[in-house]
PDB file of all heavy atoms in Angstrom:
ATOM      1  N   LEU A   1      -8.056  48.455 -30.513  1.00  0.00           N
ATOM      2  CA  LEU A   1      -7.096  47.799 -29.619  1.00  0.00           C
ATOM      3  C   LEU A   1      -7.609  48.055 -28.239  1.00  0.00           C
ATOM      4  O   LEU A   1      -7.618  47.216 -27.343  1.00  0.00           O
ATOM      5  CB  LEU A   1      -5.758  48.674 -29.742  1.00  0.00           C
ATOM      6  CG  LEU A   1      -4.621  48.196 -28.813  1.00  0.00           C
ATOM      7  CD1 LEU A   1      -4.403  46.610 -29.181  1.00  0.00           C
ATOM      8  CD2 LEU A   1      -3.470  48.922 -29.103  1.00  0.00           C
ATOM      9  N   ILE A   2      -8.183  49.300 -27.955  1.00  0.00           N
ATOM     10  CA  ILE A   2      -8.737  49.492 -26.576  1.00  0.00           C
ATOM     11  C   ILE A   2      -9.910  48.556 -26.310  1.00  0.00           C
ATOM     12  O   ILE A   2      -9.927  48.065 -25.188  1.00  0.00           O
ATOM     13  CB  ILE A   2      -9.238  51.000 -26.553  1.00  0.00           C
ATOM     14  CG1 ILE A   2      -8.084  51.978 -26.607  1.00  0.00           C
ATOM     15  CG2 ILE A   2     -10.085  51.367 -25.280  1.00  0.00           C
ATOM     16  CD1 ILE A   2      -8.265  53.468 -26.627  1.00  0.00           C
ATOM     17  N   GLY A   3     -10.712  48.277 -27.322  1.00  0.00           N
ATOM     18  CA  GLY A   3     -11.833  47.338 -27.178  1.00  0.00           C
ATOM     19  C   GLY A   3     -11.585  45.811 -27.227  1.00  0.00           C
ATOM     20  O   GLY A   3     -12.518  45.070 -27.161  1.00  0.00           O
ATOM     21  N   SER A   4     -10.340  45.501 -27.620  1.00  0.00           N
ATOM     22  CA  SER A   4      -9.949  44.182 -27.809  1.00  0.00           C
ATOM     23  C   SER A   4      -9.624  43.445 -26.513  1.00  0.00           C
ATOM     24  O   SER A   4      -8.622  43.819 -25.775  1.00  0.00           O
ATOM     25  CB  SER A   4      -8.689  44.068 -28.735  1.00  0.00           C
ATOM     26  OG  SER A   4      -8.092  42.718 -28.709  1.00  0.00           O
ATOM     27  N   GLN A   5     -10.441  42.521 -26.097  1.00  0.00           N
ATOM     28  CA  GLN A   5     -10.174  41.741 -24.859  1.00  0.00           C
ATOM     29  C   GLN A   5      -8.922  40.907 -24.877  1.00  0.00           C
ATOM     30  O   GLN A   5      -8.095  41.067 -23.829  1.00  0.00           O
ATOM     31  CB  GLN A   5     -11.390  40.857 -24.584  1.00  0.00           C
ATOM     32  CG  GLN A   5     -11.268  40.057 -23.103  1.00  0.00           C
ATOM     33  CD  GLN A   5     -12.451  39.145 -22.884  1.00  0.00           C
ATOM     34  OE1 GLN A   5     -13.548  39.306 -23.552  1.00  0.00           O
ATOM     35  NE2 GLN A   5     -12.235  38.468 -21.702  1.00  0.00           N
ATOM     36  N   PRO A   6      -8.546  40.211 -25.889  1.00  0.00           N
ATOM     37  CA  PRO A   6      -7.203  39.532 -25.855  1.00  0.00           C
ATOM     38  C   PRO A   6      -6.040  40.491 -25.701  1.00  0.00           C
ATOM     39  O   PRO A   6      -5.103  40.204 -25.017  1.00  0.00           O
ATOM     40  CB  PRO A   6      -7.251  38.765 -27.281  1.00  0.00           C
ATOM     41  CG  PRO A   6      -8.679  38.638 -27.594  1.00  0.00           C
ATOM     42  CD  PRO A   6      -9.368  39.821 -27.120  1.00  0.00           C
ATOM     43  N   ALA A   7      -6.209  41.584 -26.452  1.00  0.00           N
ATOM     44  CA  ALA A   7      -5.025  42.572 -26.344  1.00  0.00           C
ATOM     45  C   ALA A   7      -4.922  43.101 -24.968  1.00  0.00           C
ATOM     46  O   ALA A   7      -3.863  43.298 -24.405  1.00  0.00           O
ATOM     47  CB  ALA A   7      -5.216  43.654 -27.341  1.00  0.00           C
ATOM     48  N   GLN A   8      -6.021  43.427 -24.355  1.00  0.00           N
ATOM     49  CA  GLN A   8      -6.005  44.121 -22.970  1.00  0.00           C
ATOM     50  C   GLN A   8      -5.405  43.031 -21.989  1.00  0.00           C
ATOM     51  O   GLN A   8      -4.699  43.450 -21.143  1.00  0.00           O
ATOM     52  CB  GLN A   8      -7.310  44.520 -22.632  1.00  0.00           C
ATOM     53  CG  GLN A   8      -7.989  45.701 -23.484  1.00  0.00           C
ATOM     54  CD  GLN A   8      -7.078  46.985 -23.405  1.00  0.00           C
ATOM     55  OE1 GLN A   8      -6.473  47.326 -22.224  1.00  0.00           O
ATOM     56  NE2 GLN A   8      -6.554  47.526 -24.413  1.00  0.00           N
ATOM     57  N   GLU A   9      -5.854  41.669 -22.202  1.00  0.00           N
ATOM     58  CA  GLU A   9      -5.313  40.647 -21.263  1.00  0.00           C
ATOM     59  C   GLU A   9      -3.940  40.515 -21.445  1.00  0.00           C
ATOM     60  O   GLU A   9      -3.200  40.106 -20.494  1.00  0.00           O
ATOM     61  CB  GLU A   9      -6.171  39.421 -21.512  1.00  0.00           C
ATOM     62  CG  GLU A   9      -7.745  39.568 -21.105  1.00  0.00           C
ATOM     63  CD  GLU A   9      -8.432  38.285 -21.306  1.00  0.00           C
ATOM     64  OE1 GLU A   9      -7.883  37.411 -21.849  1.00  0.00           O
ATOM     65  OE2 GLU A   9      -9.597  38.170 -20.895  1.00  0.00           O
ATOM     66  N   ALA A  10      -3.360  40.572 -22.762  1.00  0.00           N
ATOM     67  CA  ALA A  10      -2.027  40.457 -22.859  1.00  0.00           C
ATOM     68  C   ALA A  10      -1.109  41.489 -22.370  1.00  0.00           C
ATOM     69  O   ALA A  10      -0.130  41.408 -21.624  1.00  0.00           O
ATOM     70  CB  ALA A  10      -1.739  40.458 -24.486  1.00  0.00           C
ATOM     71  N   PHE A  11      -1.699  42.744 -22.415  1.00  0.00           N
ATOM     72  CA  PHE A  11      -0.916  43.848 -21.645  1.00  0.00           C
ATOM     73  C   PHE A  11      -1.036  43.845 -20.219  1.00  0.00           C
ATOM     74  O   PHE A  11      -0.057  44.273 -19.524  1.00  0.00           O
ATOM     75  CB  PHE A  11      -1.489  45.169 -22.177  1.00  0.00           C
ATOM     76  CG  PHE A  11      -1.273  45.638 -23.542  1.00  0.00           C
ATOM     77  CD1 PHE A  11      -2.270  46.079 -24.424  1.00  0.00           C
ATOM     78  CD2 PHE A  11      -0.012  45.565 -23.994  1.00  0.00           C
ATOM     79  CE1 PHE A  11      -2.120  46.373 -25.683  1.00  0.00           C
ATOM     80  CE2 PHE A  11       0.338  45.799 -25.458  1.00  0.00           C
ATOM     81  CZ  PHE A  11      -0.759  46.279 -26.184  1.00  0.00           C
ATOM     82  N   ASP A  12      -2.069  43.095 -19.547  1.00  0.00           N
ATOM     83  CA  ASP A  12      -2.172  43.084 -18.262  1.00  0.00           C
ATOM     84  C   ASP A  12      -1.413  41.951 -17.612  1.00  0.00           C
ATOM     85  O   ASP A  12      -1.782  40.830 -17.464  1.00  0.00           O
ATOM     86  CB  ASP A  12      -3.727  43.043 -17.878  1.00  0.00           C
ATOM     87  CG  ASP A  12      -4.000  43.147 -16.404  1.00  0.00           C
ATOM     88  OD1 ASP A  12      -3.039  43.376 -15.664  1.00  0.00           O
ATOM     89  OD2 ASP A  12      -5.073  43.060 -16.005  1.00  0.00           O
ATOM     90  N   ILE A  13      -0.127  42.200 -17.352  1.00  0.00           N
ATOM     91  CA  ILE A  13       0.692  41.249 -16.722  1.00  0.00           C
ATOM     92  C   ILE A  13       0.368  40.689 -15.479  1.00  0.00           C
ATOM     93  O   ILE A  13       0.678  39.556 -15.058  1.00  0.00           O
ATOM     94  CB  ILE A  13       2.213  41.642 -16.896  1.00  0.00           C
ATOM     95  CG1 ILE A  13       3.146  40.589 -16.941  1.00  0.00           C
ATOM     96  CG2 ILE A  13       2.532  42.636 -15.591  1.00  0.00           C
ATOM     97  CD1 ILE A  13       4.595  40.921 -17.226  1.00  0.00           C
ATOM     98  N   GLN A  14      -0.430  41.549 -14.690  1.00  0.00           N
ATOM     99  CA  GLN A  14      -0.971  41.111 -13.292  1.00  0.00           C
ATOM    100  C   GLN A  14      -1.748  39.853 -13.465  1.00  0.00           C
ATOM    101  O   GLN A  14      -1.955  39.170 -12.461  1.00  0.00           O
ATOM    102  CB  GLN A  14      -1.615  42.232 -12.756  1.00  0.00           C
ATOM    103  CG  GLN A  14      -1.144  43.697 -12.853  1.00  0.00           C
ATOM    104  CD  GLN A  14       0.131  43.808 -12.129  1.00  0.00           C
ATOM    105  OE1 GLN A  14       0.415  43.000 -11.190  1.00  0.00           O
ATOM    106  NE2 GLN A  14       1.075  44.726 -12.521  1.00  0.00           N
ATOM    107  N   ARG A  15      -2.271  39.474 -14.695  1.00  0.00           N
ATOM    108  CA  ARG A  15      -3.138  38.282 -14.820  1.00  0.00           C
ATOM    109  C   ARG A  15      -2.290  37.029 -14.905  1.00  0.00           C
ATOM    110  O   ARG A  15      -2.827  35.937 -14.738  1.00  0.00           O
ATOM    111  CB  ARG A  15      -3.939  38.346 -16.051  1.00  0.00           C
ATOM    112  CG  ARG A  15      -4.952  39.469 -16.231  1.00  0.00           C
ATOM    113  CD  ARG A  15      -5.637  39.556 -17.576  1.00  0.00           C
ATOM    114  NE  ARG A  15      -6.672  40.370 -17.683  1.00  0.00           N
ATOM    115  CZ  ARG A  15      -8.018  40.019 -17.581  1.00  0.00           C
ATOM    116  NH1 ARG A  15      -8.294  38.922 -17.389  1.00  0.00           N
ATOM    117  NH2 ARG A  15      -8.849  41.068 -17.647  1.00  0.00           N
ATOM    118  N   GLU A  16      -0.991  37.168 -14.998  1.00  0.00           N
ATOM    119  CA  GLU A  16      -0.163  35.968 -15.223  1.00  0.00           C
ATOM    120  C   GLU A  16      -0.068  35.222 -13.856  1.00  0.00           C
ATOM    121  O   GLU A  16       0.060  35.762 -12.773  1.00  0.00           O
ATOM    122  CB  GLU A  16       1.269  36.440 -15.692  1.00  0.00           C
ATOM    123  CG  GLU A  16       2.036  35.340 -16.058  1.00  0.00           C
ATOM    124  CD  GLU A  16       1.531  34.661 -17.349  1.00  0.00           C
ATOM    125  OE1 GLU A  16       1.387  35.196 -18.380  1.00  0.00           O
ATOM    126  OE2 GLU A  16       1.437  33.357 -17.202  1.00  0.00           O
ATOM    127  N   ASP A  17       0.036  33.906 -14.013  1.00  0.00           N
ATOM    128  CA  ASP A  17       0.394  33.147 -12.885  1.00  0.00           C
ATOM    129  C   ASP A  17       1.547  33.406 -12.141  1.00  0.00           C
ATOM    130  O   ASP A  17       2.576  33.759 -12.641  1.00  0.00           O
ATOM    131  CB  ASP A  17       0.419  31.579 -13.342  1.00  0.00           C
ATOM    132  CG  ASP A  17       0.795  30.677 -12.240  1.00  0.00           C
ATOM    133  OD1 ASP A  17      -0.224  30.356 -11.515  1.00  0.00           O
ATOM    134  OD2 ASP A  17       1.993  30.317 -12.140  1.00  0.00           O
ATOM    135  N   GLU A  18       1.529  33.528 -10.798  1.00  0.00           N
ATOM    136  CA  GLU A  18       2.534  33.933  -9.904  1.00  0.00           C
ATOM    137  C   GLU A  18       3.841  33.070 -10.034  1.00  0.00           C
ATOM    138  O   GLU A  18       5.078  33.595 -10.118  1.00  0.00           O
ATOM    139  CB  GLU A  18       2.183  34.024  -8.473  1.00  0.00           C
ATOM    140  CG  GLU A  18       1.127  35.085  -8.070  1.00  0.00           C
ATOM    141  CD  GLU A  18       1.678  36.427  -8.438  1.00  0.00           C
ATOM    142  OE1 GLU A  18       2.756  36.707  -7.916  1.00  0.00           O
ATOM    143  OE2 GLU A  18       0.953  37.240  -8.905  1.00  0.00           O
ATOM    144  N   LYS A  19       3.673  31.789 -10.350  1.00  0.00           N
ATOM    145  CA  LYS A  19       4.776  30.910 -10.392  1.00  0.00           C
ATOM    146  C   LYS A  19       5.478  31.155 -11.745  1.00  0.00           C
ATOM    147  O   LYS A  19       6.659  31.054 -11.880  1.00  0.00           O
ATOM    148  CB  LYS A  19       4.317  29.299 -10.387  1.00  0.00           C
ATOM    149  CG  LYS A  19       3.907  28.991  -9.030  1.00  0.00           C
ATOM    150  CD  LYS A  19       3.585  27.472  -8.997  1.00  0.00           C
ATOM    151  CE  LYS A  19       3.130  27.078  -7.546  1.00  0.00           C
ATOM    152  NZ  LYS A  19       2.659  25.605  -7.604  1.00  0.00           N
ATOM    153  N   THR A  20       4.688  31.480 -12.811  1.00  0.00           N
ATOM    154  CA  THR A  20       5.335  31.806 -14.140  1.00  0.00           C
ATOM    155  C   THR A  20       6.057  33.212 -13.969  1.00  0.00           C
ATOM    156  O   THR A  20       7.286  33.360 -14.487  1.00  0.00           O
ATOM    157  CB  THR A  20       4.242  31.941 -15.037  1.00  0.00           C
ATOM    158  OG1 THR A  20       3.650  30.699 -15.208  1.00  0.00           O
ATOM    159  CG2 THR A  20       4.934  32.255 -16.420  1.00  0.00           C
ATOM    160  N   ARG A  21       5.641  34.194 -13.294  1.00  0.00           N
ATOM    161  CA  ARG A  21       6.273  35.354 -13.147  1.00  0.00           C
ATOM    162  C   ARG A  21       7.683  35.092 -12.386  1.00  0.00           C
ATOM    163  O   ARG A  21       8.692  35.745 -12.633  1.00  0.00           O
ATOM    164  CB  ARG A  21       5.459  36.373 -12.470  1.00  0.00           C
ATOM    165  CG  ARG A  21       4.112  36.747 -13.147  1.00  0.00           C
ATOM    166  CD  ARG A  21       3.536  37.977 -12.589  1.00  0.00           C
ATOM    167  NE  ARG A  21       4.297  39.321 -12.955  1.00  0.00           N
ATOM    168  CZ  ARG A  21       4.036  40.424 -12.407  1.00  0.00           C
ATOM    169  NH1 ARG A  21       2.813  40.553 -11.769  1.00  0.00           N
ATOM    170  NH2 ARG A  21       4.765  41.426 -12.803  1.00  0.00           N
ATOM    171  N   ASP A  22       7.572  34.283 -11.350  1.00  0.00           N
ATOM    172  CA  ASP A  22       8.715  33.896 -10.651  1.00  0.00           C
ATOM    173  C   ASP A  22       9.785  33.283 -11.523  1.00  0.00           C
ATOM    174  O   ASP A  22      11.061  33.505 -11.392  1.00  0.00           O
ATOM    175  CB  ASP A  22       8.469  33.050  -9.548  1.00  0.00           C
ATOM    176  CG  ASP A  22       7.654  33.813  -8.479  1.00  0.00           C
ATOM    177  OD1 ASP A  22       7.714  35.033  -8.330  1.00  0.00           O
ATOM    178  OD2 ASP A  22       7.104  33.192  -7.445  1.00  0.00           O
ATOM    179  N   LEU A  23       9.348  32.433 -12.389  1.00  0.00           N
ATOM    180  CA  LEU A  23      10.237  31.678 -13.341  1.00  0.00           C
ATOM    181  C   LEU A  23      11.085  32.687 -14.161  1.00  0.00           C
ATOM    182  O   LEU A  23      12.236  32.433 -14.409  1.00  0.00           O
ATOM    183  CB  LEU A  23       9.363  30.834 -14.231  1.00  0.00           C
ATOM    184  CG  LEU A  23      10.256  30.025 -15.368  1.00  0.00           C
ATOM    185  CD1 LEU A  23      10.959  28.945 -14.707  1.00  0.00           C
ATOM    186  CD2 LEU A  23       9.193  29.406 -16.352  1.00  0.00           C
ATOM    187  N   TYR A  24      10.454  33.688 -14.732  1.00  0.00           N
ATOM    188  CA  TYR A  24      11.258  34.679 -15.451  1.00  0.00           C
ATOM    189  C   TYR A  24      12.096  35.642 -14.564  1.00  0.00           C
ATOM    190  O   TYR A  24      13.039  36.153 -15.128  1.00  0.00           O
ATOM    191  CB  TYR A  24      10.220  35.532 -16.109  1.00  0.00           C
ATOM    192  CG  TYR A  24       9.653  34.927 -17.422  1.00  0.00           C
ATOM    193  CD1 TYR A  24       8.520  34.104 -17.385  1.00  0.00           C
ATOM    194  CD2 TYR A  24      10.141  35.283 -18.774  1.00  0.00           C
ATOM    195  CE1 TYR A  24       7.988  33.539 -18.493  1.00  0.00           C
ATOM    196  CE2 TYR A  24       9.603  34.678 -19.776  1.00  0.00           C
ATOM    197  CZ  TYR A  24       8.530  33.827 -19.704  1.00  0.00           C
ATOM    198  OH  TYR A  24       7.947  33.283 -20.863  1.00  0.00           O
ATOM    199  N   GLY A  25      11.871  35.674 -13.390  1.00  0.00           N
ATOM    200  CA  GLY A  25      12.532  36.621 -12.416  1.00  0.00           C
ATOM    201  C   GLY A  25      11.676  37.823 -12.106  1.00  0.00           C
ATOM    202  O   GLY A  25      11.272  38.545 -13.131  1.00  0.00           O
ATOM    203  N   ARG A  26      11.643  38.194 -10.895  1.00  0.00           N
ATOM    204  CA  ARG A  26      10.923  39.421 -10.592  1.00  0.00           C
ATOM    205  C   ARG A  26      11.686  40.642 -10.715  1.00  0.00           C
ATOM    206  O   ARG A  26      12.179  41.276  -9.802  1.00  0.00           O
ATOM    207  CB  ARG A  26      10.290  39.247  -9.154  1.00  0.00           C
ATOM    208  CG  ARG A  26       9.410  38.177  -8.939  1.00  0.00           C
ATOM    209  CD  ARG A  26       8.049  38.559  -9.678  1.00  0.00           C
ATOM    210  NE  ARG A  26       6.998  37.655  -9.488  1.00  0.00           N
ATOM    211  CZ  ARG A  26       5.804  37.969  -9.018  1.00  0.00           C
ATOM    212  NH1 ARG A  26       5.476  39.223  -8.998  1.00  0.00           N
ATOM    213  NH2 ARG A  26       4.845  37.035  -8.806  1.00  0.00           N
ATOM    214  N   ASN A  27      12.016  41.038 -11.984  1.00  0.00           N
ATOM    215  CA  ASN A  27      12.942  42.205 -12.272  1.00  0.00           C
ATOM    216  C   ASN A  27      12.445  42.606 -13.696  1.00  0.00           C
ATOM    217  O   ASN A  27      11.637  42.059 -14.357  1.00  0.00           O
ATOM    218  CB  ASN A  27      14.377  41.819 -12.191  1.00  0.00           C
ATOM    219  CG  ASN A  27      14.713  40.612 -13.344  1.00  0.00           C
ATOM    220  OD1 ASN A  27      14.554  40.798 -14.445  1.00  0.00           O
ATOM    221  ND2 ASN A  27      14.981  39.432 -12.632  1.00  0.00           N
ATOM    222  N   ASN A  28      12.918  43.798 -14.097  1.00  0.00           N
ATOM    223  CA  ASN A  28      12.442  44.443 -15.245  1.00  0.00           C
ATOM    224  C   ASN A  28      12.694  43.605 -16.436  1.00  0.00           C
ATOM    225  O   ASN A  28      11.621  43.339 -17.327  1.00  0.00           O
ATOM    226  CB  ASN A  28      13.096  45.880 -15.473  1.00  0.00           C
ATOM    227  CG  ASN A  28      14.612  45.742 -15.657  1.00  0.00           C
ATOM    228  OD1 ASN A  28      15.142  44.787 -15.149  1.00  0.00           O
ATOM    229  ND2 ASN A  28      15.260  46.846 -16.115  1.00  0.00           N
ATOM    230  N   LEU A  29      13.757  43.018 -16.696  1.00  0.00           N
ATOM    231  CA  LEU A  29      14.159  42.239 -17.979  1.00  0.00           C
ATOM    232  C   LEU A  29      13.173  41.098 -17.841  1.00  0.00           C
ATOM    233  O   LEU A  29      12.505  40.636 -18.961  1.00  0.00           O
ATOM    234  CB  LEU A  29      15.573  41.872 -18.097  1.00  0.00           C
ATOM    235  CG  LEU A  29      15.865  40.987 -19.219  1.00  0.00           C
ATOM    236  CD1 LEU A  29      15.565  41.715 -20.531  1.00  0.00           C
ATOM    237  CD2 LEU A  29      17.375  40.656 -19.201  1.00  0.00           C
ATOM    238  N   GLY A  30      13.149  40.318 -16.830  1.00  0.00           N
ATOM    239  CA  GLY A  30      12.380  38.963 -16.822  1.00  0.00           C
ATOM    240  C   GLY A  30      10.987  39.273 -17.113  1.00  0.00           C
ATOM    241  O   GLY A  30      10.422  38.454 -18.006  1.00  0.00           O
ATOM    242  N   GLN A  31      10.383  40.371 -16.665  1.00  0.00           N
ATOM    243  CA  GLN A  31       8.988  40.642 -16.912  1.00  0.00           C
ATOM    244  C   GLN A  31       8.767  41.225 -18.255  1.00  0.00           C
ATOM    245  O   GLN A  31       7.621  40.934 -18.848  1.00  0.00           O
ATOM    246  CB  GLN A  31       8.335  41.595 -15.785  1.00  0.00           C
ATOM    247  CG  GLN A  31       8.493  40.987 -14.306  1.00  0.00           C
ATOM    248  CD  GLN A  31       7.886  39.604 -14.290  1.00  0.00           C
ATOM    249  OE1 GLN A  31       6.637  39.572 -14.417  1.00  0.00           O
ATOM    250  NE2 GLN A  31       8.674  38.466 -13.937  1.00  0.00           N
ATOM    251  N   GLN A  32       9.624  41.888 -18.807  1.00  0.00           N
ATOM    252  CA  GLN A  32       9.655  42.187 -20.257  1.00  0.00           C
ATOM    253  C   GLN A  32       9.640  40.974 -21.140  1.00  0.00           C
ATOM    254  O   GLN A  32       8.878  40.963 -22.131  1.00  0.00           O
ATOM    255  CB  GLN A  32      10.781  43.183 -20.605  1.00  0.00           C
ATOM    256  CG  GLN A  32      10.593  44.557 -20.002  1.00  0.00           C
ATOM    257  CD  GLN A  32      12.006  45.358 -19.963  1.00  0.00           C
ATOM    258  OE1 GLN A  32      13.124  44.927 -20.350  1.00  0.00           O
ATOM    259  NE2 GLN A  32      11.989  46.573 -19.304  1.00  0.00           N
ATOM    260  N   MET A  33      10.516  40.026 -20.956  1.00  0.00           N
ATOM    261  CA  MET A  33      10.488  38.829 -21.639  1.00  0.00           C
ATOM    262  C   MET A  33       9.095  38.038 -21.513  1.00  0.00           C
ATOM    263  O   MET A  33       8.584  37.514 -22.431  1.00  0.00           O
ATOM    264  CB  MET A  33      11.599  37.864 -21.194  1.00  0.00           C
ATOM    265  CG  MET A  33      12.977  38.510 -21.667  1.00  0.00           C
ATOM    266  SD  MET A  33      14.231  37.297 -21.301  1.00  0.00           S
ATOM    267  CE  MET A  33      15.655  37.975 -22.013  1.00  0.00           C
ATOM    268  N   LEU A  34       8.560  38.019 -20.257  1.00  0.00           N
ATOM    269  CA  LEU A  34       7.258  37.494 -20.039  1.00  0.00           C
ATOM    270  C   LEU A  34       6.178  38.180 -20.810  1.00  0.00           C
ATOM    271  O   LEU A  34       5.281  37.544 -21.553  1.00  0.00           O
ATOM    272  CB  LEU A  34       6.934  37.486 -18.724  1.00  0.00           C
ATOM    273  CG  LEU A  34       5.490  37.067 -18.151  1.00  0.00           C
ATOM    274  CD1 LEU A  34       5.163  35.567 -18.844  1.00  0.00           C
ATOM    275  CD2 LEU A  34       5.261  37.095 -16.726  1.00  0.00           C
ATOM    276  N   LEU A  35       6.145  39.569 -20.921  1.00  0.00           N
ATOM    277  CA  LEU A  35       5.322  40.376 -21.670  1.00  0.00           C
ATOM    278  C   LEU A  35       5.445  39.986 -23.164  1.00  0.00           C
ATOM    279  O   LEU A  35       4.356  39.915 -23.921  1.00  0.00           O
ATOM    280  CB  LEU A  35       5.543  41.851 -21.302  1.00  0.00           C
ATOM    281  CG  LEU A  35       4.431  42.745 -21.927  1.00  0.00           C
ATOM    282  CD1 LEU A  35       3.087  42.398 -21.581  1.00  0.00           C
ATOM    283  CD2 LEU A  35       4.776  44.329 -21.416  1.00  0.00           C
ATOM    284  N   ALA A  36       6.639  39.872 -23.635  1.00  0.00           N
ATOM    285  CA  ALA A  36       6.863  39.515 -25.010  1.00  0.00           C
ATOM    286  C   ALA A  36       6.215  38.186 -25.282  1.00  0.00           C
ATOM    287  O   ALA A  36       5.618  38.087 -26.406  1.00  0.00           O
ATOM    288  CB  ALA A  36       8.437  39.370 -25.311  1.00  0.00           C
ATOM    289  N   ARG A  37       6.214  37.216 -24.537  1.00  0.00           N
ATOM    290  CA  ARG A  37       5.684  35.916 -24.660  1.00  0.00           C
ATOM    291  C   ARG A  37       4.183  36.145 -24.731  1.00  0.00           C
ATOM    292  O   ARG A  37       3.375  35.594 -25.509  1.00  0.00           O
ATOM    293  CB  ARG A  37       5.813  35.004 -23.615  1.00  0.00           C
ATOM    294  CG  ARG A  37       5.449  33.568 -23.831  1.00  0.00           C
ATOM    295  CD  ARG A  37       4.709  32.917 -22.537  1.00  0.00           C
ATOM    296  NE  ARG A  37       3.403  33.382 -22.419  1.00  0.00           N
ATOM    297  CZ  ARG A  37       2.787  33.485 -21.214  1.00  0.00           C
ATOM    298  NH1 ARG A  37       3.284  33.119 -20.077  1.00  0.00           N
ATOM    299  NH2 ARG A  37       1.464  33.906 -21.103  1.00  0.00           N
ATOM    300  N   ARG A  38       3.486  36.998 -23.942  1.00  0.00           N
ATOM    301  CA  ARG A  38       2.121  37.273 -23.972  1.00  0.00           C
ATOM    302  C   ARG A  38       1.747  37.816 -25.178  1.00  0.00           C
ATOM    303  O   ARG A  38       0.538  37.707 -25.696  1.00  0.00           O
ATOM    304  CB  ARG A  38       1.762  38.067 -22.694  1.00  0.00           C
ATOM    305  CG  ARG A  38       1.908  37.400 -21.456  1.00  0.00           C
ATOM    306  CD  ARG A  38       1.685  38.220 -20.115  1.00  0.00           C
ATOM    307  NE  ARG A  38       0.354  38.758 -20.005  1.00  0.00           N
ATOM    308  CZ  ARG A  38      -0.688  38.148 -19.606  1.00  0.00           C
ATOM    309  NH1 ARG A  38      -0.536  36.832 -19.042  1.00  0.00           N
ATOM    310  NH2 ARG A  38      -1.998  38.605 -19.555  1.00  0.00           N
ATOM    311  N   LEU A  39       2.516  38.807 -25.802  1.00  0.00           N
ATOM    312  CA  LEU A  39       2.156  39.486 -26.948  1.00  0.00           C
ATOM    313  C   LEU A  39       2.274  38.536 -28.099  1.00  0.00           C
ATOM    314  O   LEU A  39       1.251  38.568 -29.075  1.00  0.00           O
ATOM    315  CB  LEU A  39       3.209  40.665 -27.137  1.00  0.00           C
ATOM    316  CG  LEU A  39       3.171  41.852 -26.097  1.00  0.00           C
ATOM    317  CD1 LEU A  39       4.197  42.661 -26.325  1.00  0.00           C
ATOM    318  CD2 LEU A  39       1.725  42.480 -26.269  1.00  0.00           C
TER     319      LEU A  39
END
């Protein structure tokens, strides 16, 4: 898991497009839902 590039990229929400992050809402729940999509 530590060595998996796709996994590391999924966990790194900072990589997400700013407009997509805004779409979900810049709050804890919105970004948790975004992280769920990435997973």
